[in-house]
Amino acid sequence: MSNFVTVGELKTLLDEGAPVRVIDVRWRLERPDGRPEYLEGHVPGAVFVRLDEELATHGEPSEGRHPLPSTEKLQAAARRWGVRTGDVVVVYDDMRGIAAARAWWLLRQGGVDAKVLDGGIRAWKAAGYDIATDDVVPDEGDVVLREIGAEAISIDEAAAFPASGVLLDVRAAERYRGDTEPYDPVAGHIPGAVNLPSTLHVDSDGMILDHDALRATFASAGVVPGTPAAAYCGSGVTAAHTALVADEIGLDVKVFPGSWSQWSNTPGRAVATGDQPG
């Protein structure tokens, strides 16, 4: 079963009245509150989800910008979204599926059948489907989540990972090299990490690429079936998209949720620069 649904598939599910809950996770680092865009137009019935508040928690800088929420917090949020036992949850955003993937990654760990809308809200609009401008407040859901966190690795595990597998840094190449760092106090990458930017997995419209092309891209970084792999990014959001795409083609990639924001705020952690793992 695919982790993605097309806009046509979602339209059919909604028209048929299938048990589907649609959530809108519009978020960007430079514009973390996507609610205004949600209210300008969203998939009918979609509930707005606040990534910073519901798909993460808040802590010290040494925990990273987006630490994992507790299972109890995520369950309460999912119930607010109206998710009921047995529902399929379709997640979308307007940023190549990056923010949506964070919701997918967490909900899947909790035992929810979650899917990402391929192409997001842009694909929905391009198809000419109706959009809504209301603020959807559904009836409380009753979903019960399994404990989350098993697909995450700690900062110490991330440090040791290159010795036994492939640690992927999925940020842009200039941040990996240490040429620039717009968000965190130190530029560079975790020693031993291999750069595989998440932008390589989608086309210019934010649609996932052909599976064979994706397998070749992961293989170029040393990630093939049977090889332990994990991913990190700036703050644990984009890395979830790499895990999503990897899972779609049969690869298992764990996520370091603290990512560079935690690493660079933790005294004593080594830093590599340049275009090689180091």
Side-chain angles (χ1 to χ4, degrees), residues 20-105:
V20 176
R21 173 56 60 192
V22 184
I23 61 175
D24 182 312
V25 192
R26 271 182 264 193
W27 170 92
R28 297 168 187 253
L29 271 175
E30 71 277 11
R31 194 177 71 249
D33 184 6
R35 190 175 189 81
E37 287 80 8
Y38 164 80
L39 294 173
E40 288 175 3
H42 53 262
V43 174
V47 178
F48 180 69
V49 171
R50 301 179 299 274
L51 186 147
D52 285 341
E53 301 295 329
E54 298 182 294
L55 301 178
T57 189
H58 298 284
E60 298 300 319
S62 60
E63 297 178 79
R65 286 193 300 276
H66 295 110
L68 296 190
S70 67
T71 303
E72 293 73 22
K73 180 178 179 178
L74 182 64
Q75 179 175 284
R79 290 181 176 185
R80 183 191 75 78
W81 310 334
V83 181
R84 302 189 64 80
T85 301
D87 280 356
V88 175
V89 177
V90 176
V91 196
Y92 72 85
D93 59 31
D94 62 352
M95 195 180 67
R96 307 188 313 275
I98 298 298
R102 171 76 172 208
W104 168 86
W105 183 68

Side-chain angles (χ1 to χ4, degrees), residues 142-228:
D142 65 0
V143 69
V144 177
L145 300 186
R146 297 194 305 248
E147 191 70 24
I148 65 170
E151 295 184 19
I153 64 171
S154 68
I155 188 171
D156 288 335
E157 289 171 323
F161 211 92
S164 58
V166 178
L167 180 64
L168 299 172
D169 181 320
V170 305
R171 298 173 300 162
E174 58 269 23
R175 291 184 69 192
Y176 172 83
R177 292 192 302 265
D179 298 344
T180 182
E181 181 45 65
Y183 305 109
D184 295 311
V186 179
H189 59 265
I190 297 174
V194 178
N195 192 211
L196 188 69
S198 64
T199 50
L200 298 177
H201 308 317
V202 295
D203 65 17
S204 59
D205 294 320
M207 309 284 283
I208 187 172
L209 295 178
D210 171 79
H211 286 194
D212 287 339
L214 293 171
R215 291 188 186 95
T217 299
F218 276 94
S220 71
V223 182
V224 295
T227 299

Side-chain angles (χ1 to χ4, degrees), residues 1 9 20 27 30 36 42 76 97 100 106 136 142 150 170 195 200 238 242 251 262 268 271:
M1 294 290 289
E9 290 168 339
V20 176
W27 170 92
E30 71 277 11
H42 53 262
L106 291 173
V136 178
D142 65 0
V170 305
N195 192 211
L200 298 177
T238 305
T242 296
L251 298 172
Q262 181 179 18
V271 173

